[in-house]
């Protein structure tokens, strides 16, 4: 056939077969979408409002525009409630706070279109993962339906090319990026992408229709308006998207009618958005960004700035990304993803379409597709320009432009293939497009796998694909994992900082171990996780000019989770190994903490150097590194002890450094549908709250407690469901009791808990998918030991002998009279341990033996409002029939483990009924009648004197 001869339309049977193939692709993609968002165990519906969009659904269902969540009174009492440091403990993150109420500034269209109707029809809530899957599947269906309509325009495209093109909307448009972490950020992005595709489909119907074009235009306009109501980034695009199609259709239907159909729906929705803003914030043009509570104050922030546009365009169009030899092979760009000109090479064909020679058929039948492409491109450029001038570029914003770019590239490629007169050019165009689609599919699979929420399900595939890299490492002897460096620190380096080891692919995503030289031949070692900081060692002696051995472990040195070296390891073991940061100098552990490291490749490891300039260290180590060894990855790196069952538990835990305002599981007990989850709520750095989720009932929550990520933290837990039925647990049988580093966190009587079957207790995991916490604990269990029931402190409401420990706050005003802490005995025959608050934030402690006097400590400083532990031991607290004789004459007071009073004395006899805490009912004149500060908790020991 002559190359200039028009290509005839394919038979109907062929078209039907193609439609069936496309339908199968759409069905498979939709099933995968819903499967992905439920990984590892997320629900699709919930009985309570799930997440931010659940709260907005609840509010709209109640007929109000503000959330029903009441802001914390402490937040509203702040001098500046928008101060991100001051409000961190109280804020609902990323909510908008205005005049004492919470709002959601993210687009409300997803609620009005899907989540609110579901709530009104079923009485349940559609979860955010379900909404992301629903909108993603809808967008894929619309894009595939659009391609089937395009097929009518472009009959000269080979079937194989068309079917390959149909793989792009579900598997080549970054849909997986949304599906694997479907939180509330992703809901409006998925909704906007969906209705962009719906709008383009009806726009093509208008272009292809001789009759009904005006109706299709109005539906297309309404769909684009929904996209705009989902993502305000589409507002400029809404002004231009209809212009190319409108000019084309107006030749058949009249300009005024077409203009009304094209812009009346967009205008109505736009006006509704402005009225919505006025109702909420008293301004038509305030969307709530200004009043958002986030990691930085938005009040004075200039959200859009044209001066930023050039840098933003460079990032969104040409931002580079790194790849790795390890599965899933994708590391990403500095902001997470990479520019669309790299991610969607088909987009390069759009300008070529303007220069292409066309056969006669393409000049007529392809006009609708080319007009659609023009509409899509002007809208896409408008969205891109607005995003580029935004104050922030983050990975999820790339997804606002990826689906449109992928569709535009497909339309350009198919149009070029159909239009070419020259067979060699046509074949070259076809081959380029097929290769580009294969590349896009591969990159999308890699990106999706890198974010997959249940990596264990990819273990077999990942380890198979990682085997060639692992074999090469074994062959060359260059293994990933910890490094052992023999170093010679330089002399005369006082005041300098120098790198010892660094990893990472980007300047803003690197980890650096460096040495800070101090006076007196000392060095401080520090690990810096860019963006988060990190631990610093105590000053360490160095032997300048002599060899010293430095052992370094952190995640940047390790292979990824699915590397064959981890075959046979549990998920928990791998996580512990990858999050451990440990530095040993000459056999002494000097840094030991738990935190993430940035993704890194073997060729990113720099010994004695860093690749970029940083303010905290120089570029090169000026000493000598005599040798570098890689001993390999061994299971002991991720080992944790087993949890003993049916006993009180003492757990020594290395707490994470990098967790703020996140909830993470500590202990999971029971089975699906009948479980208890003890979890930790991390607040400001070094602050944690301990909570219980009793499935179906919630549970108690502690106050905020301090912890140090550079030291092991001790948890003591008594859990009723773990009690041994043969043990005489007495008052503990129905108590739920937790301490952290000796501070009582929870003490709850009558707490119901589900039975724990054999093997039904797990540390650091959330196997039941409880929404109150994340999937796994980011710390490390160092020791787990059963405790005797008799080793537990006696509850405060139980009269007994034994030493006394108080968690208390001293009042800030000076005392006229000393205040009683512990009083024993009878009128005329009593003993007193007391305190007295002095001027200048100081307190002193005293002991008085009625009739003989006593001793008074030196003043010590305290901070008003802070909780202190006061441990009190004196002979009158001991059971006369037990206890060592050398403790009978002792009186000891400790303040936060420091001895502040230590003496010997005689004591008047006492019984459990004559031991009084925080009061002086026996009338001694040494103290006032009661303690005037706050006693948060009292518990009793079994009588041995605290060790000095």
């Amino acid at each position: 056939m002559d190359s200039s001869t028009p290509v005839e339309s394919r038979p109907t049977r062929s078209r039907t077969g193609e439609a069936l193939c496309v339908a199968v692709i759409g069905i498979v993609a939709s099933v995968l979408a819903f499967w992905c968002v439920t990984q590892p165990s997320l629900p699709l519906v919930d009985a309570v409002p799930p997440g931010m969009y659940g709260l907005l659904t609840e509010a709209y269902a109640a007929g109000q525009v503000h959330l029903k969540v009441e802001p914390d009174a402490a937040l509203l009492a702040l001098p500046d409630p928008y101060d991100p440091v001051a409000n961190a403990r109280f804020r609902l993150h990323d909510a908008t706070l205005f005049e004492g109420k919470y709002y959601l500034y993210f687009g409300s269209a997803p609620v009005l279109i899907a989540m609110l109707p579901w709530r009104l029809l079923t009485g349940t809530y559609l979860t955010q993962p379900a909404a992301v899957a629903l909108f993603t599947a809808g967008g894929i269906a619309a894009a595939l339906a659009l391609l089937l309509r395009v097929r009518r325009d472009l009959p000269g495209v080979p079937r194989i090319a068309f079917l390959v093109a149909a793989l792009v909307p579900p598997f080549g448009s970054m849909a997986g990026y949304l599906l694997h972490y479907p939180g509330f950020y992703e809901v409006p992005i998925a909704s906007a992408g969906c209705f962009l595709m719906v709008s383009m489909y009806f726009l093509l119907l208008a272009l292809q229709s001789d009759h009904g074009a005006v109706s299709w235009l109005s539906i297309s306009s309404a769909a684009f308006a929904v996209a705009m109501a989902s993502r305000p980034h589409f507002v400029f695009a809404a002004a231009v998207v209809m212009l190319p199609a409108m000019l084309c259709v107006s030749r058949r239907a009249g300009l005024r009618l077409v203009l009304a159909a094209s812009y009346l729906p967009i205008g109505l929705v736009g006006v509704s958005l402005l009225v919505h803003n006025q109702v909420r914030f008293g301004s038509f043009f305030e969307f709530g960004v200004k009043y958002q509570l986030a990691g930085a104050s938005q009040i004075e922030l200039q959200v859009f700035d044209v001066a930023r546009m050039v840098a933003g365009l460079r990032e969104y169009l040409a931002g580079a990304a790194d790849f790795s030899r390890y599965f899933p092979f994708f590391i990403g760009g500095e902001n997470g993803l990479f520019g669309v000109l790299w991610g969607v090479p088909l987009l390069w064909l759009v300008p070529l379409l303007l220069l292409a020679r066309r056969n006669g058929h393409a000049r007529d039948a392809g006009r609708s597709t080319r007009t659609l492409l023009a509409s899509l491109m002007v809208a896409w450029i408008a969205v891109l320009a607005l995003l580029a001038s935004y104050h922030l570029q983050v990975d999820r914003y790339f997804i606002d432009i990826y689906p449109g770019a992928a569709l535009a590239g497909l339309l350009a490629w198919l149009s070029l293939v159909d239009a070419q007169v020259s067979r060699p050019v046509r074949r070259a165009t076809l081959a380029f497009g097929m290769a580009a689609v294969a590349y896009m599919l591969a990159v999308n699979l890699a990106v999706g796998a890198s974010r997959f929420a249940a990596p264990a399900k990819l273990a077999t595939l990942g380890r198979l694909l990682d085997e060639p890299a692992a074999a090469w490492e074994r062959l060359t002897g260059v293994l990933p994992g910890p490094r052992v460096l023999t170093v010679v620190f330089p002399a005369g380096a006082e005041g300098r900082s120098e790198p010892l080891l660094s990893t990472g692919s980007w300047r803003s995503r690197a980890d650096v171990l460096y040495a800070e030289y101090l006076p007196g031949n000392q060095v401080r070692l520090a690990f810096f996780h860019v963006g988060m900081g990190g631990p610093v060692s105590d000053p360490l002696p160095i032997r300048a000019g002599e060899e010293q051995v430095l052992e370094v472990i952190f995640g940047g040195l390790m292979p990824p989770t699915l590397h064959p070296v981890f075959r046979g390891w549990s998920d928990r073991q791998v996580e512990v190994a990858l999050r451990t940061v440990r530095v040993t100098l000459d056999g002494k552990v000097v840094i030991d903490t738990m935190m993430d490291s940035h993704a890194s490749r073997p060729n990113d490891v720099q010994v004695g150097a860093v690749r970029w300039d940083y303010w905290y260290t120089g570029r090169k180590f000026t000493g000598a590194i005599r040798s570098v060894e890689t001993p390999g990855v061994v299971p002991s790196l991720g080992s944790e002890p087993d949890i003993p069952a049916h006993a009180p538990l003492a757990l020594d835990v290395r707490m994470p450094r990098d967790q703020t305002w996140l909830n993470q599981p500590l202990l999971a007990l029971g089975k699906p549908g009948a479980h208890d989850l003890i979890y930790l709520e991390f607040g400001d750095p070094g602050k944690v709250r301990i909570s219980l989720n009793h499935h179906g009932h919630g549970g108690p929550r502690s106050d905020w407690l301090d912890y140090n990520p550079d030291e092991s933290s001790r948890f003591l837990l008594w859990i009723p469901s773990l009690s041994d039925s043969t043990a005489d647990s007495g008052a503990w049988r129905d108590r739920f009791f937790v301490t952290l580093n000796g501070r009582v966190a929870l003490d709850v009587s009558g707490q119901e808990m589900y039975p724990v079957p054999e093997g039904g207790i797990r540390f650091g995991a959330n196997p039941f998918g409880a929404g109150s916490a994340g999937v796994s604990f980011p710390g490390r269990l160092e020791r787990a030991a059963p405790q005797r029931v008799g080793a537990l402190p006696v509850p405060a409401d139980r009269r007994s002998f034994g030493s006394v420990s108080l968690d208390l706050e001293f009042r800030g005003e000076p005392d006229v009279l000393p205040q009683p802490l512990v009083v024993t005995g009878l009128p005329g025959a009593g003993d007193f341990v007391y305190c007295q608050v002095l001027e200048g934030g100081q307190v002193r402690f005293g002991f008085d033996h009625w009739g003989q006097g006593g001793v008074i400590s030196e003043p010590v400083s305290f901070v008003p409002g802070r909780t202190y532990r006061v441990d009190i031991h004196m002979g009158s607290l001991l059971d006369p029939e037990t206890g060592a004789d050398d403790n009978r004459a002792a009186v000891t007071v400790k303040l936060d483990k420091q001895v502040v009073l230590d003496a010997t004395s005689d004591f008047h006899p006492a019984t459990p009924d004559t031991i009084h805490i925080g009061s002086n009912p026996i009338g001694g004149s040494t103290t006032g009648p009661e303690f005037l500060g706050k006693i948060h908790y009292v518990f009793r020991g079994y009588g041995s004197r605290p060790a000095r």
Side-chain angles (χ1 to χ4, degrees), residues 35 54 65 87 101 137 294 331 373 405 570 621 678 712 731 787 856 860 878 899 904:
W35 178 76
V65 294
N87 69 27
K101 293 182 173 61
I331 291 180
L373 176 58
S570 68
F621 179 65
I678 301 171
S712 183
Q787 302 292 295
I856 298 176
V860 293
L878 298 179
V899 175
T904 58

Side-chain angles (χ1 to χ4, degrees), residues 346-420:
L346 289 177
L347 202 59
W348 305 346
L349 299 176
V350 172
L352 295 180
L353 185 62
L354 301 175
L355 306 175
R357 293 177 59 199
R358 301 179 178 85
N359 60 44
H361 169 77
R363 279 195 295 270
D364 296 326
R367 183 176 291 116
S368 297
T369 298
R370 294 195 300 276
T371 305
L372 176 70
L373 176 58
S375 296
L376 178 60
M377 284 304 299
V378 297
W380 185 80
I381 291 171
V383 173
L384 175 63
L386 196 62
L387 280 175
S389 63
Y390 196 58
H391 73 98
L392 184 67
Q393 281 92 44
V394 295
D395 48 5
R396 62 181 179 271
Y397 295 165
F398 284 76
I399 311 302
D400 282 312
I401 58 176
Y402 259 91
L407 179 60
L410 281 180
L411 296 179
W413 175 48
L414 297 177
S415 296
L416 279 170
V417 170
D418 185 75
Q420 292 306 312

Side-chain angles (χ1 to χ4, degrees), residues 72-93 97 102 293-297 661 683-685 687 704:
D72 194 305
L75 172 66
L76 300 179
L78 292 174
D80 179 9
Y82 301 99
D83 180 343
V85 176
N87 69 27
R89 185 177 298 184
F90 313 112
R91 71 181 181 230
L92 179 60
H93 188 70
L97 177 69
Y102 276 137
L293 302 182
S297 177
W661 302 102
D684 289 336
K687 297 288 187 181
W704 291 104

